[in-house]
């Protein structure tokens, strides 16, 4: 309630208190108090008045609850208990604005007492003291201190964020381990591996310090191409188990912090897929789900050939047209120029992403689009009679691979994956599969650009050629091929084996397995390990060919590298008690996980030690790689991180016994310490840089301490992807 005083001068007076019942008596003189407290209607409510006036001013005939113009305003606040106040004022509620005749000035003043703040004092009263210097000064100091501290905290937070390097994601910090599910572990003893079998063996990944597991296809499939011919993208093949088995496996993996990467097969389906059945009988909306072209029973539309040999066209009696298949005739190619197909396949991605799958390996992506004009592809040898052209390598694939529009599709998948990557720690990973051979620039395109991302990395298959170019120089060339073609800032990766290529241990020779594993785990970027490579499994000579590619060309059979995992010396290497779908390697009695766990310095033990070291050492995880040497025998490189004195020199011998002189490398100390040798040297031994001896097939990992960096010396060629520097004083990494 606001009361108005009569017109008065605006002289502000000192702060005092008085009490008085309302209403004010007409004609009484206002006291020179700027705030009055009183009881309202005899109650114990506190009323405060704020006003300015002269000491001798006459009170109005009545106190008016009005907005009288030119009046001094008094503000009345109700509802506050005044009892304490009144007690302190000796209960005199008649003091204050007394009538002029009956209350001399001194009496009036004596009725108003100055009081001190006390605990529990009403806020309004407390506020009266707030302008006094003894309260105001500390208050202001505190206020500015708080502001300054807040600003300093904000500045510190921004600095920390700006200086923090990016953390490595799970697909960067872990090795990717590939499981071929038919061959990993058979839980139901039907001779074929399955999902429950994988779940039984999860300890193996913990032992190896591996966090990312890629499982080759386990979709429902007639198994013409062992799962790469998908009949239903939303079902598990009974051979591998049930959807419940899959969900259990995924949950068990997530419980252990393991990530599951699935195969995604966009280029083709099985001819048993519902879409193909609907397409071949021209059901509305499905007519163009696949690539159909007019042809006769005997003459295909053009000279295109399948990767598995012979024409890539097959005449379909039902539809009276030919359909395209870049692989088996039981694997018709989907038509990715049809938006319905794109949508269907995106839905498949969502289906598995919803289930919680952590990433996908995109199969055969370069084959996804074909030129709509269907012209013949040029022959590699123009003189070759056209009707004898029946293999992939006899044509230039100008119209069947890497067609314009392909990368738009892959970017589209990235968008879908990103939608599921927003929660912390739930990044969904994508790796693409494309063999581009000498056209490495085509492979690099799957990285996308710095603005539009595609896959996290395309598989780097170039080290698969190491056996062909086996030498120090060969290893350098293959490593450098990737590093010097990879777009800046992208993340490298290395593959030395998979289900499509002979095991490198067989093609390079068992004596090189350890050095190859050392190279794989010490190069910068993500290593991929095909099951069994951690124990040095070798190809098996399979006489009864199962692989359809092998049936076309026995030299191309992929059976030898797909044989059962060798777990122990038990029957069938502990994989199954039944006849296994492919034979077990006869060396399983000694080459198996159990035996190698018990044998120090085994291939498995060394693999594990390297895997643990890779995680523990920042220089190996995300440091620079600088080449220091390559010749016909030896390839050597350094891993170092700015600010970190501990660094590593890796010396790999892919030739004959050798002595390497690195005395000219000023950044290396004269003596280095052996961290690991795949051969004879013991940990802790000292080696002189002027005389680094390595035996054929030896991998030597030396550690040293230095403040001199190779990467700052232009004489050395160095690479780094996720650059960071180490600050030893604070034990932190920062952006540099
Ligand atoms: C690539 C796979 O790795 C291979 O095993 C398969 O046969 C083809 N794609 C066809 O899907
Ligand atoms: Mg089974």
């Amino acid at each position: 309630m606001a009361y108005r005083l009569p017109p008065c001068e605006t002289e502000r007076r000192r702060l005092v208190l008085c009490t008085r019942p309302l209403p004010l008596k007409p004609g009484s003189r206002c006291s020179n108090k700027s705030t009055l407290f009183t009881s309202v209607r005899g109650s114990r409510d506190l009323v405060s008045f704020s006003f300015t006036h002269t000491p001798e001013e006459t009170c109005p005939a009545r106190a008016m609850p009005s907005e009288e113009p030119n009046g001094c305003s008094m503000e009345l606040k109700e509802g506050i208990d005044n009892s304490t106040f009144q007690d302190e004022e000796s209960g005199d509620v008649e003091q204050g604005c007394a009538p002029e005749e009956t209350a001399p000035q001194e009496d009036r003043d004596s009725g108003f007492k100055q009081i001190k703040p006390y605990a529990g004092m009403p806020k309004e009263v407390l506020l009266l003291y707030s302008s006094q210097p003894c309260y105001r000064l500390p208050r202001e100091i505190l206020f500015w201190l708080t502001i300054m501290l807040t600003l300093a905290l904000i500045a510190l937070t921004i600095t920390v964020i700006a200086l923090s390097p990016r953390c490595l994601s799970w697909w960067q910090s872990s090795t990717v381990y590939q499981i071929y599910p038919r061959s990993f572990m058979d839980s139901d003893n039907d001779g074929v591996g399955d999902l429950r079998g994988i779940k039984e063996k999860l300890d193996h990944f913990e032992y190896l310090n591996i966090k990312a597991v890629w499982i080759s296809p386990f979709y429902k499939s007639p198994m013409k191409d062992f799962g790469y011919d998908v009949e239903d993208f939303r079902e598990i093949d009974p051979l591998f188990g049930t959807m419940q088995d899959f969900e259990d496996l995924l949950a068990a993996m997530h419980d252990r912090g393991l990530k599951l990467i699935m195969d995604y097969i966009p280029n083709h389906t099985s001819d048993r897929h519902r879409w193909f059945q609907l397409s071949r009988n021209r059901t509305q909306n499905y007519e163009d789900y696949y690539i159909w072209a007019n042809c006769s029973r005997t003459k295909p539309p053009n000279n295109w050939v399948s990767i598995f040999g012979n024409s890539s066209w097959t005449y379909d009696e039902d539809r009276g047209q030919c359909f395209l298949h870049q692989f088996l005739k039981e694997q018709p190619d989907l038509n990715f120029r049809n938006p319905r197909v794109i949508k269907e396949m995106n839905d498949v991605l969502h289906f598995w992403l919803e289930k919680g799958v952590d990433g996908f390996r995109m199969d055969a992506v370069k084959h996804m689009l074909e030129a709509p004009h269907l012209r013949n592809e040029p022959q590699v040898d123009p003189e070759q009679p056209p009707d004898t052209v029946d293999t992939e390598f006899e044509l230039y694939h100008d119209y069947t691979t890497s067609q314009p529009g392909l990368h738009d599709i892959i970017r589209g998948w990235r968008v879908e994956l990103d939608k599921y990557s927003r929660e912390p720690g739930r990044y969904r990973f994508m790796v693409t599969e494309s063999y581009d051979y000498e056209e490495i620039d085509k492979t690099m395109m799957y990285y996308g650009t710095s603005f539009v991302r595609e896959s996290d990395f395309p598989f780097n298959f170039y080290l698969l050629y190491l056996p062909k170019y086996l030498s120090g120089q060969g290893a350098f060339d293959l490593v450098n091929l990737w590093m010097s073609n990879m777009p800046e800032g992208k993340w490298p990766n290395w593959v030395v084996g998979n289900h499509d290529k002979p095991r490198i241990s067989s093609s390079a020779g068992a004596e090189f397995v350890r050095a190859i594993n050392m190279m794989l785990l010490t190069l910068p970027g993500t290593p991929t390990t095909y099951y069994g490579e951690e124990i040095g499994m070798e190809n098996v000579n399979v006489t009864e060919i199962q692989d359809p590619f092998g049936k076309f060309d026995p030299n191309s059979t992929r059976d030898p590298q797909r044989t059962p995992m060798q777990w122990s010396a038990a029957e069938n290497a502990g994989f199954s008690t039944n006849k296994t779908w492919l034979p077990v390697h006869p060396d399983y009695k000694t080459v198996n996980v159990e035996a190698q766990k018990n044998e120090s310095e085994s291939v498995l033990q060394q693999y594990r030690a390297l895997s643990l070291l890779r995680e523990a050492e920042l220089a190996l995880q995300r440091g620079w790689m600088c080449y220091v040497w390559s010749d016909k025998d030896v390839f050597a490189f350094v891993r170092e991180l700015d600010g970190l004195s501990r660094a590593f020199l890796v010396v790999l011998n892919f030739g004959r016994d050798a002595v390497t002189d690195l005395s000219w490398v000023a950044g290396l100390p004269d003596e280095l310490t052996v961290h690991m040798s795949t051969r004879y040297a013991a940990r802790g031994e000292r080696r002189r840089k002027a005389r680094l001896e390595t035996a054929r097939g030896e991998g030597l990992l030396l550690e040293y301490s230095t403040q001199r960096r190779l990467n700052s010396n232009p004489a050395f060629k160095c690479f780094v992807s996720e650059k960071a520097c180490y600050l030893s004083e604070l034990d932190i990494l920062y952006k540099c």
Side-chain angles (χ1 to χ4, degrees):
M1 201 184 326
Y3 286 84
R4 291 231 170 243
L5 288 176
C8 55
E9 284 176 39
T10 55
E11 183 194 340
R12 196 163 276 285
R13 293 296 172 140
R14 73 190 166 91
L15 177 78
V16 288
L17 301 164
C18 72
T19 58
R20 176 170 183 87
L22 278 179
L24 298 173
K25 286 183 187 152
S28 64
R29 219 167 236 290
C30 281
S31 63
N32 59 346
K33 317 298 186 280
S34 62
T35 302
L36 301 171
F37 289 86
T38 187
S39 287
V40 179
R41 290 185 296 277
S43 79
R44 291 162 72 85
D45 289 340
L46 177 85
V47 178
S48 79
F49 301 86
S50 306
F51 59 93
T52 54
H53 63 100
T54 55
E56 295 307 312
E57 213 160 35
T58 306
C59 285
R62 58 194 165 85
M64 301 174 295
S66 70
E67 301 254 320
E68 204 169 288
N70 306 320
C72 296
S73 76
M74 275 197 306
E75 227 178 43
L76 200 66
K77 293 181 185 162
E78 296 178 275
I80 302 157
D81 191 332
N82 193 28
S83 57
T84 322
F85 183 74
Q86 285 178 24
D87 290 348
E88 293 231 348
E89 294 292 310
S90 340
D92 181 7
V93 295
E94 293 300 325
Q95 296 168 24
C97 204
E100 194 179 0
E101 320 70 53
T102 55
Q105 186 68 37
E106 312 81 63
D107 289 354
R108 291 200 305 266
D109 282 350
S110 69
F112 305 109
K113 278 193 199 155
Q114 191 86 36
I115 58 160
K116 297 214 163 17
Y118 56 90
M121 185 175 231
K123 192 173 95 196
E124 278 73 7
V125 182
L126 206 53
L127 281 173
L128 299 176
Y129 294 89
S130 64
S131 54
Q132 291 180 14
C134 60
Y135 297 111
R136 210 184 60 218
L137 194 68
R139 198 181 63 231
E140 285 189 0
I141 291 174
L142 272 176
F143 173 77
W144 287 113
L145 256 178
T146 313
I147 296 282
M148 275 156 56
L149 278 175
T150 311
L151 289 178
L153 209 67
I154 292 173
L156 187 74
T157 313
I158 292 173
T159 317
V160 167
I161 292 172
L163 286 183
S164 297
R166 243 167 47 109
C167 288
L168 296 188
S169 190
W170 59 266
W171 53 272
Q172 295 175 299
S173 52
S174 171
T175 294
V176 171
Y177 186 99
Q178 183 193 353
I179 289 179
Y180 196 66
R182 295 180 71 88
S183 301
F184 196 61
M185 182 64 199
D186 179 15
S187 74
D188 57 1
N189 289 318
D190 62 355
V192 181
D194 42 57
L195 297 178
R196 279 168 179 257
I198 298 173
K199 186 162 162 257
E200 280 173 19
K201 291 293 183 185
L202 293 183
D203 282 349
H204 189 55
F205 306 118
E206 274 183 31
Y207 178 78
L208 294 177
N209 190 36
I210 281 173
K211 311 275 163 43
V213 179
W214 153 37
I215 309 177
S216 289
F218 43 82
Y219 302 104
K220 184 167 188 213
S221 163
M223 299 290 163
K224 295 285 178 205
D225 190 16
F226 298 119
Y228 282 96
D229 48 324
V230 180
E231 183 177 333
D232 191 329
F233 285 108
R234 290 177 174 79
E235 272 191 49
I236 308 288
D237 195 275
L239 198 60
F240 296 124
T242 62
M243 190 57 87
Q244 189 59 52
D245 292 335
F246 169 77
E247 285 166 3
D248 291 349
L249 171 64
L250 184 62
M253 287 180 68
H254 284 173
D255 279 352
R256 292 171 181 245
L258 297 170
K259 305 287 185 181
L260 194 157
I261 302 164
M262 276 181 73
D263 241 289
Y264 178 75
I265 304 150
N267 179 66
H268 46 265
T269 67
S270 157
D271 60 349
R272 295 238 211 117
H273 197 290
R274 191 178 63 95
W275 300 336
F276 189 70
Q277 300 306 324
L278 295 169
S279 192
R280 69 162 24 144
N281 65 26
R282 297 180 196 259
T283 304
Q284 201 186 3
N285 292 338
Y286 289 89
E287 300 101 319
D288 297 328
Y289 262 49
Y290 295 82
I291 316 283
W292 294 99
N294 291 332
C295 64
S296 76
R297 278 188 182 76
T298 50
K299 194 165 177 338
N302 56 31
N303 72 344
W304 297 356
V305 291
S306 151
I307 305 300
F308 290 152
N310 296 327
S311 172
S312 55
W313 296 98
T314 292
Y315 183 79
D316 183 65
E317 293 289 345
D318 288 7
R319 178 143 163 166
Q321 277 188 309
C322 282
F323 62 88
L324 178 82
H325 50 90
Q326 295 219 40
F327 293 91
L328 293 177
K329 68 176 180 8
E330 292 85 0
Q331 293 170 298
D333 271 41
L334 281 165
N335 176 12
F336 263 84
R337 297 190 192 279
N338 181 345
R340 288 179 199 274
V341 170
I342 298 214
K343 160 95 176 50
E344 292 270 19
M345 289 307 286
N346 279 352
D347 290 349
V348 170
L349 274 183
H350 291 166
F351 177 83
W352 294 102
L353 286 165
E354 286 292 339
K355 289 212 175 283
V357 163
D358 301 286
F360 298 92
R361 175 261 192 192
M362 308 311 200
D363 182 74
V365 286
K366 73 173 183 181
H367 300 281
M368 276 173 33
L369 292 174
E370 297 77 21
H373 54 61
L374 305 185
R375 287 205 285 269
N376 279 350
E377 288 189 324
Q379 287 184 198
V380 172
D381 173 7
E383 306 305 318
Q384 184 180 355
D387 54 353
T388 66
V389 170
D390 60 1
T391 72
E392 181 192 4
F393 298 101
E394 289 164 318
L395 293 176
Y396 292 115
H397 299 289
D398 294 355
Y399 307 138
T400 53
T401 64
S402 311
Q403 295 299 293
L406 169 62
H407 291 276
D408 294 333
I409 298 169
I410 294 168
R411 282 173 205 149
W413 295 337
R414 164 56 63 199
V415 170
E416 301 309 317
L417 263 57
D418 281 350
K419 289 182 192 162
Y420 289 81
S421 299
R422 294 192 185 122
E423 289 163 52
R426 291 313 311 274
Y427 184 79
R428 311 300 175 111
F429 163 74
M430 187 203 316
V431 53
T432 41
E433 185 228 19
S434 177
Y435 288 88
D436 296 296
Y437 307 104
E438 63 279 2
E439 296 177 295
I440 191 169
D441 47 320
K442 288 193 174 164
T443 303
M444 294 301 172
M445 288 183 73
Y446 296 101
Y447 272 117
T449 65
S450 33
F451 301 109
V452 190
R453 288 179 314 125
E454 294 186 22
S455 59
D456 292 293
F457 51 72
F459 267 140
N460 170 5
F461 294 126
Y462 291 92
L463 280 187
L464 291 167
Y465 298 96
L466 185 58
K468 188 169 170 195
Y469 303 104
L470 197 65
S471 65
Q473 190 61 40
F476 163 78
D477 287 342
L478 293 170
V479 168
N480 191 40
L481 181 68
W482 191 267
M483 297 311 289
S484 50
N485 281 286
M486 187 181 72
E488 215 184 302
K490 297 294 183 183
W491 187 253
N493 78 98
W494 312 94
V495 175
V496 294
N498 65 30
H499 62 294
D500 290 330
K501 300 290 167 189
R503 286 192 183 271
I504 201 163
S505 47
S506 296
S507 42
E511 62 194 322
F512 293 104
V513 168
R514 295 164 190 254
I516 290 171
N517 278 344
M518 179 178 278
M519 176 163 75
L520 184 70
L521 291 163
T522 54
L523 281 171
T526 303
T528 296
T529 289
Y530 183 50
Y531 80 95
E533 275 164 14
E534 70 276 31
I535 53 170
M537 265 174 66
E538 293 188 45
N539 277 2
V540 176
N541 189 11
V542 179
T543 44
E544 231 177 281
I545 292 181
Q546 307 276 336
D547 177 27
F549 199 9
K551 286 180 182 162
F552 168 74
D553 171 13
N555 291 324
S556 303
T557 178
R558 298 169 294 178
D559 291 338
Q561 59 264 28
R562 296 177 173 179
T563 60
M565 176 69 178
Q566 294 163 206
W567 292 107
S568 69
E571 181 189 8
N572 293 327
F575 165 78
S576 176
T577 51
N578 207 334
K579 183 176 185 304
T580 55
W581 78 284
L582 283 176
V584 176
H585 197 289
D587 70 7
Y588 78 90
K589 290 248 155 101
T590 50
V591 180
N592 66 63
V593 173
E594 200 175 272
Q596 294 198 8
K597 270 190 182 172
N598 296 324
E599 180 198 329
S600 68
E601 310 296 309
S602 62
V603 176
L604 182 70
Q605 294 273 11
Q606 289 188 344
Y607 184 100
R608 177 170 187 255
L610 286 164
S611 172
L612 289 165
L613 186 74
R614 186 178 175 275
E615 191 190 21
E617 296 293 341
L618 281 172
L620 291 178
Q621 232 183 66
R622 61 186 303 165
W624 291 87
M625 178 197 58
C626 301
Y627 306 127
V628 291
W629 188 256
S630 63
D631 61 21
K632 61 185 188 330
D633 302 310
V634 167
F635 170 43
F637 56 89
V638 151
R639 298 300 311 276
E640 63 179 23
L641 191 120
D642 295 306
L644 198 65
S645 51
R646 196 168 147 88
F648 294 90
L649 170 68
V650 185
V651 188
L652 304 161
N653 187 317
F654 294 117
R656 293 164 310 170
D657 297 2
V659 179
T660 309
D661 176 4
L662 296 183
S663 55
W664 56 275
V665 184
L668 294 176
D670 289 341
E671 286 207 336
L672 304 96
T673 309
V674 173
H675 187 95
M676 177 196 280
S677 160
T678 60
R679 282 291 180 91
Y680 317 111
R683 186 165 180 180
E685 268 180 29
R686 305 284 286 165
R687 291 293 177 88
R688 286 197 301 125
K689 72 170 172 179
R691 242 194 105 69
L692 291 170
E693 288 178 53
T694 47
R696 175 178 168 81
E698 181 176 0
L700 185 61
L701 182 63
L702 300 156
E703 64 181 66
Y704 59 96
S705 181
T706 184
Q707 299 308 325
R708 296 179 71 172
R709 302 283 147 219
L710 260 54
N711 72 71
S712 55
N713 181 344
F716 293 94
K717 199 168 173 193
C718 301
F719 299 90
V720 71
S721 292
E722 300 279 355
K723 192 176 167 211
C725 295
Y726 180 73
L727 189 63
S728 52
E729 289 76 17
L730 295 179
D731 189 21
I732 56 162
L733 276 183
Y734 63 95
K735 234 186 236 168
C736 50

